[in-house]
């Protein structure tokens, strides 16, 4: 795999930095109980993650089941947000190597940010709960801007926020959604093989390399 010389690295959150499915799935189940709908397993919810909370909630209610009304979807989203505020960070854990690698990247003088489709209100509290908040110079959520991934705007905004050009940036994610966002933004992208990717094999995605461990990232980086 080729090496990279970025001044800034932007990370997806769920499925890249952290395994958040246990908390997301618990909030989904509480929502479904509240609405009188059939439950979902962690494995099912894992395939629903990636395109933001509204899409995840809609998939939890409709995949393999009957369509729902816009009114029920709006009620479900409100319910999920309330329950996820309670579950966020309870069972979520950083993936192996993340805690060890982030200080190494910071020591090299790299700017770092999180660019995720998770609602902005949940990002900071989750990172702080895991002791990771201090490593990031910007946090861009799915509702931070008018558009979210795979639109390139979140990555461009992150570049502007930390003061780098897109030629000086690198994206690290776990899904085709991350890869497409980076391609549209004109930024190279590496994908982790352990993430979610909506049930699609990650090695089928258009990216610049695959990593099976977060600790594989620092050796690929050279001084810009």
């Amino acid at each position: 795999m080729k090496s990279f010389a970025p001044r800034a690295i932007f990370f997806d959150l769920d499925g890249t930095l952290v395994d958040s499915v246990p908390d997301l799935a618990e909030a989904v189940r509480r929502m479904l109980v509240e609405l009188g709908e059939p439950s979902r397993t962690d494995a099912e919810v894992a395939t629903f993650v990636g395109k933001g909370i509204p899409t995840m909630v809609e998939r939890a209610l409709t995949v393999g089941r009957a369509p729902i009304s816009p009114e029920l979807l709006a009620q479900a989203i409100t319910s999920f947000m309330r329950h996820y505020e309670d579950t966020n960070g309870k069972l979520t854990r950083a993936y192996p190597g993340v805690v060890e690698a982030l200080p190494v990247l910071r020591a090299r003088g790299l700017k770092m940010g999180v660019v995720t489709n998770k609602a902005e209100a949940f990002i900071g509290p989750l990172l702080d709960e895991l002791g990771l908040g201090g490593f990031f110079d910007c946090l861009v959520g799915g509702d931070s801007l008018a558009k979210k991934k795979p639109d390139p705007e979140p990555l461009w905004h992150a570049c502007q926020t930390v003061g780098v050009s897109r030629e000086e940036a690198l994206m690290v994610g776990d899904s085709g959604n991350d890869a497409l966002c980076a391609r549209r933004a004109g930024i190279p992208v590496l994908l982790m093989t352990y993430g979610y990717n909506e049930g699609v094999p990650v090695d089928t995605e258009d990216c610049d390399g695959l990593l099976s461990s977060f600790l594989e990232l620092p050796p690929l980086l050279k001084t810009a």
Side-chain angles (χ1 to χ4, degrees), residues 95-112:
Y95 282 108
V98 170
V99 172
E100 294 82 2
L102 288 178
V104 174
L105 300 176
R106 172 60 78 199
R108 295 186 187 182
L110 290 163
K111 297 288 187 180
M112 293 192 288

Side-chain angles (χ1 to χ4, degrees), residues 61-130:
L61 287 164
T62 63
V63 170
R65 301 173 183 175
I68 59 172
S69 68
E71 292 77 18
L72 179 57
L73 177 58
Q75 180 184 352
I77 292 170
T78 298
S79 172
F80 173 84
M81 296 283 279
R82 185 176 68 255
H83 290 301
Y84 190 49
E85 186 174 1
D86 181 54
T87 66
N88 186 30
K90 294 288 174 53
L91 297 175
T92 294
R93 296 292 181 266
Y95 282 108
V98 170
V99 172
E100 294 82 2
L102 288 178
V104 174
L105 300 176
R106 172 60 78 199
R108 295 186 187 182
L110 290 163
K111 297 288 187 180
M112 293 192 288
V114 171
V115 179
T116 172
N117 280 346
K118 184 187 288 292
E120 185 176 328
F122 299 119
I123 304 170
L126 175 57
L127 291 172
D128 289 344
E129 178 74 19
L130 298 176

